Amino acid sequence: MQEYLDFFANNTLLVVAWIGLVAAIVVTTVMAKLSKVKVIPTQEAVLLINKQDAVVIDVRSADDFRKGHITGAVNVPASQIKANDLSQIQKYQQKPVILVCETGMTTSGLGRILTKAQFTQVYALRGGMADWRTQNLPVAKR
């Protein structure tokens, strides 16, 4: 036990960094479990699109959207959602909605905005379009 106390005393910065890292992991895990936005892999997204007629909302810029997007996706830039301009997608409130960005990093935050706006089933695509392309799933360019 004395060795641990000596280690803590001699490496305070390292110990604080480890405690911070563990706390960040715990908080992130708890927030993910409590979130109404479910992060889903590409396979589950395909099932939602095919079986439950889910709507794909691509939150990337219009230029990125034109370079390639999921077939049938609606382009609503992230800035528009952040500004609570949901008029373009309001009609999809009761349908499953899958949010897609380039890497899957920004969609969870945008999903929380949609759940506050009474969207009932909000999903975020894990890995975004990058993962979609990696899986060789269809991409439309028009």
Side-chain angles (χ1 to χ4, degrees), residues 69-84:
H69 58 273
I70 296 172
T71 305
V74 178
N75 184 227
V76 181
S79 58
Q80 190 174 334
I81 294 174
K82 288 177 184 173
N84 278 327

PDB file of all heavy atoms in Angstrom, residues 69-84:
ATOM      1  N   HIS A  69     -24.396  10.753 -51.509  1.00  0.00           N
ATOM      2  CA  HIS A  69     -25.251  10.625 -50.326  1.00  0.00           C
ATOM      3  C   HIS A  69     -26.036   9.319 -50.402  1.00  0.00           C
ATOM      4  O   HIS A  69     -26.068   8.666 -51.438  1.00  0.00           O
ATOM      5  CB  HIS A  69     -26.201  11.822 -50.220  1.00  0.00           C
ATOM      6  CG  HIS A  69     -27.074  11.996 -51.433  1.00  0.00           C
ATOM      7  ND1 HIS A  69     -26.667  12.723 -52.526  1.00  0.00           N
ATOM      8  CD2 HIS A  69     -28.299  11.508 -51.733  1.00  0.00           C
ATOM      9  CE1 HIS A  69     -27.620  12.691 -53.447  1.00  0.00           C
ATOM     10  NE2 HIS A  69     -28.619  11.951 -52.988  1.00  0.00           N
ATOM     11  N   ILE A  70     -26.647   8.970 -49.310  1.00  0.00           N
ATOM     12  CA  ILE A  70     -27.482   7.777 -49.256  1.00  0.00           C
ATOM     13  C   ILE A  70     -28.718   8.035 -50.119  1.00  0.00           C
ATOM     14  O   ILE A  70     -29.312   9.123 -50.056  1.00  0.00           O
ATOM     15  CB  ILE A  70     -27.877   7.454 -47.802  1.00  0.00           C
ATOM     16  CG1 ILE A  70     -26.613   7.119 -46.987  1.00  0.00           C
ATOM     17  CG2 ILE A  70     -28.880   6.306 -47.749  1.00  0.00           C
ATOM     18  CD1 ILE A  70     -26.851   6.980 -45.503  1.00  0.00           C
ATOM     19  N   THR A  71     -29.090   7.059 -50.924  1.00  0.00           N
ATOM     20  CA  THR A  71     -30.236   7.204 -51.812  1.00  0.00           C
ATOM     21  C   THR A  71     -31.489   7.580 -51.021  1.00  0.00           C
ATOM     22  O   THR A  71     -31.809   6.953 -50.016  1.00  0.00           O
ATOM     23  CB  THR A  71     -30.486   5.878 -52.574  1.00  0.00           C
ATOM     24  OG1 THR A  71     -29.288   5.513 -53.250  1.00  0.00           O
ATOM     25  CG2 THR A  71     -31.618   6.008 -53.571  1.00  0.00           C
ATOM     26  N   GLY A  72     -32.153   8.625 -51.477  1.00  0.00           N
ATOM     27  CA  GLY A  72     -33.381   9.079 -50.834  1.00  0.00           C
ATOM     28  C   GLY A  72     -33.165  10.015 -49.657  1.00  0.00           C
ATOM     29  O   GLY A  72     -34.126  10.453 -49.025  1.00  0.00           O
ATOM     30  N   ALA A  73     -31.923  10.341 -49.358  1.00  0.00           N
ATOM     31  CA  ALA A  73     -31.629  11.215 -48.215  1.00  0.00           C
ATOM     32  C   ALA A  73     -32.098  12.643 -48.483  1.00  0.00           C
ATOM     33  O   ALA A  73     -32.133  13.111 -49.621  1.00  0.00           O
ATOM     34  CB  ALA A  73     -30.135  11.213 -47.914  1.00  0.00           C
ATOM     35  N   VAL A  74     -32.450  13.322 -47.401  1.00  0.00           N
ATOM     36  CA  VAL A  74     -32.831  14.730 -47.447  1.00  0.00           C
ATOM     37  C   VAL A  74     -31.667  15.521 -46.882  1.00  0.00           C
ATOM     38  O   VAL A  74     -31.166  15.203 -45.808  1.00  0.00           O
ATOM     39  CB  VAL A  74     -34.104  14.978 -46.590  1.00  0.00           C
ATOM     40  CG1 VAL A  74     -34.479  16.442 -46.583  1.00  0.00           C
ATOM     41  CG2 VAL A  74     -35.252  14.111 -47.075  1.00  0.00           C
ATOM     42  N   ASN A  75     -31.233  16.563 -47.595  1.00  0.00           N
ATOM     43  CA  ASN A  75     -30.105  17.371 -47.128  1.00  0.00           C
ATOM     44  C   ASN A  75     -30.606  18.543 -46.302  1.00  0.00           C
ATOM     45  O   ASN A  75     -31.304  19.425 -46.798  1.00  0.00           O
ATOM     46  CB  ASN A  75     -29.279  17.864 -48.320  1.00  0.00           C
ATOM     47  CG  ASN A  75     -28.051  18.633 -47.893  1.00  0.00           C
ATOM     48  OD1 ASN A  75     -27.767  19.698 -48.408  1.00  0.00           O
ATOM     49  ND2 ASN A  75     -27.302  18.103 -46.952  1.00  0.00           N
ATOM     50  N   VAL A  76     -30.290  18.505 -45.005  1.00  0.00           N
ATOM     51  CA  VAL A  76     -30.585  19.606 -44.092  1.00  0.00           C
ATOM     52  C   VAL A  76     -29.284  19.889 -43.347  1.00  0.00           C
ATOM     53  O   VAL A  76     -28.909  19.137 -42.456  1.00  0.00           O
ATOM     54  CB  VAL A  76     -31.703  19.237 -43.088  1.00  0.00           C
ATOM     55  CG1 VAL A  76     -32.012  20.403 -42.173  1.00  0.00           C
ATOM     56  CG2 VAL A  76     -32.950  18.762 -43.811  1.00  0.00           C
ATOM     57  N   PRO A  77     -28.570  20.956 -43.729  1.00  0.00           N
ATOM     58  CA  PRO A  77     -27.282  21.241 -43.096  1.00  0.00           C
ATOM     59  C   PRO A  77     -27.390  21.369 -41.575  1.00  0.00           C
ATOM     60  O   PRO A  77     -28.421  21.811 -41.044  1.00  0.00           O
ATOM     61  CB  PRO A  77     -26.852  22.562 -43.737  1.00  0.00           C
ATOM     62  CG  PRO A  77     -27.592  22.610 -45.034  1.00  0.00           C
ATOM     63  CD  PRO A  77     -28.899  21.913 -44.777  1.00  0.00           C
ATOM     64  N   ALA A  78     -26.322  20.995 -40.901  1.00  0.00           N
ATOM     65  CA  ALA A  78     -26.296  21.033 -39.434  1.00  0.00           C
ATOM     66  C   ALA A  78     -26.619  22.426 -38.908  1.00  0.00           C
ATOM     67  O   ALA A  78     -27.311  22.567 -37.892  1.00  0.00           O
ATOM     68  CB  ALA A  78     -24.931  20.573 -38.934  1.00  0.00           C
ATOM     69  N   SER A  79     -26.149  23.456 -39.587  1.00  0.00           N
ATOM     70  CA  SER A  79     -26.404  24.834 -39.140  1.00  0.00           C
ATOM     71  C   SER A  79     -27.895  25.138 -39.119  1.00  0.00           C
ATOM     72  O   SER A  79     -28.381  25.868 -38.245  1.00  0.00           O
ATOM     73  CB  SER A  79     -25.670  25.828 -40.035  1.00  0.00           C
ATOM     74  OG  SER A  79     -26.083  25.675 -41.378  1.00  0.00           O
ATOM     75  N   GLN A  80     -28.627  24.575 -40.046  1.00  0.00           N
ATOM     76  CA  GLN A  80     -30.076  24.793 -40.102  1.00  0.00           C
ATOM     77  C   GLN A  80     -30.765  24.124 -38.916  1.00  0.00           C
ATOM     78  O   GLN A  80     -31.681  24.695 -38.316  1.00  0.00           O
ATOM     79  CB  GLN A  80     -30.610  24.232 -41.429  1.00  0.00           C
ATOM     80  CG  GLN A  80     -32.035  24.591 -41.733  1.00  0.00           C
ATOM     81  CD  GLN A  80     -32.447  24.124 -43.126  1.00  0.00           C
ATOM     82  OE1 GLN A  80     -31.619  23.978 -44.018  1.00  0.00           O
ATOM     83  NE2 GLN A  80     -33.722  23.866 -43.293  1.00  0.00           N
ATOM     84  N   ILE A  81     -30.320  22.929 -38.559  1.00  0.00           N
ATOM     85  CA  ILE A  81     -30.905  22.237 -37.407  1.00  0.00           C
ATOM     86  C   ILE A  81     -30.549  22.978 -36.122  1.00  0.00           C
ATOM     87  O   ILE A  81     -31.393  23.153 -35.244  1.00  0.00           O
ATOM     88  CB  ILE A  81     -30.439  20.767 -37.357  1.00  0.00           C
ATOM     89  CG1 ILE A  81     -31.008  20.007 -38.557  1.00  0.00           C
ATOM     90  CG2 ILE A  81     -30.859  20.096 -36.050  1.00  0.00           C
ATOM     91  CD1 ILE A  81     -30.510  18.587 -38.710  1.00  0.00           C
ATOM     92  N   LYS A  82     -29.294  23.429 -36.009  1.00  0.00           N
ATOM     93  CA  LYS A  82     -28.878  24.174 -34.818  1.00  0.00           C
ATOM     94  C   LYS A  82     -29.682  25.460 -34.651  1.00  0.00           C
ATOM     95  O   LYS A  82     -29.900  25.919 -33.534  1.00  0.00           O
ATOM     96  CB  LYS A  82     -27.391  24.490 -34.887  1.00  0.00           C
ATOM     97  CG  LYS A  82     -26.515  23.276 -34.685  1.00  0.00           C
ATOM     98  CD  LYS A  82     -25.052  23.626 -34.823  1.00  0.00           C
ATOM     99  CE  LYS A  82     -24.192  22.376 -34.714  1.00  0.00           C
ATOM    100  NZ  LYS A  82     -22.780  22.645 -35.000  1.00  0.00           N
ATOM    101  N   ALA A  83     -30.120  26.040 -35.774  1.00  0.00           N
ATOM    102  CA  ALA A  83     -30.930  27.261 -35.728  1.00  0.00           C
ATOM    103  C   ALA A  83     -32.415  26.942 -35.532  1.00  0.00           C
ATOM    104  O   ALA A  83     -33.259  27.832 -35.595  1.00  0.00           O
ATOM    105  CB  ALA A  83     -30.733  28.055 -37.015  1.00  0.00           C
ATOM    106  N   ASN A  84     -32.736  25.676 -35.280  1.00  0.00           N
ATOM    107  CA  ASN A  84     -34.105  25.196 -35.090  1.00  0.00           C
ATOM    108  C   ASN A  84     -35.001  25.463 -36.292  1.00  0.00           C
ATOM    109  O   ASN A  84     -36.205  25.636 -36.142  1.00  0.00           O
ATOM    110  CB  ASN A  84     -34.728  25.774 -33.821  1.00  0.00           C
ATOM    111  CG  ASN A  84     -34.312  25.014 -32.591  1.00  0.00           C
ATOM    112  OD1 ASN A  84     -34.107  23.810 -32.648  1.00  0.00           O
ATOM    113  ND2 ASN A  84     -34.164  25.714 -31.492  1.00  0.00           N
TER     114      ASN A  84
END
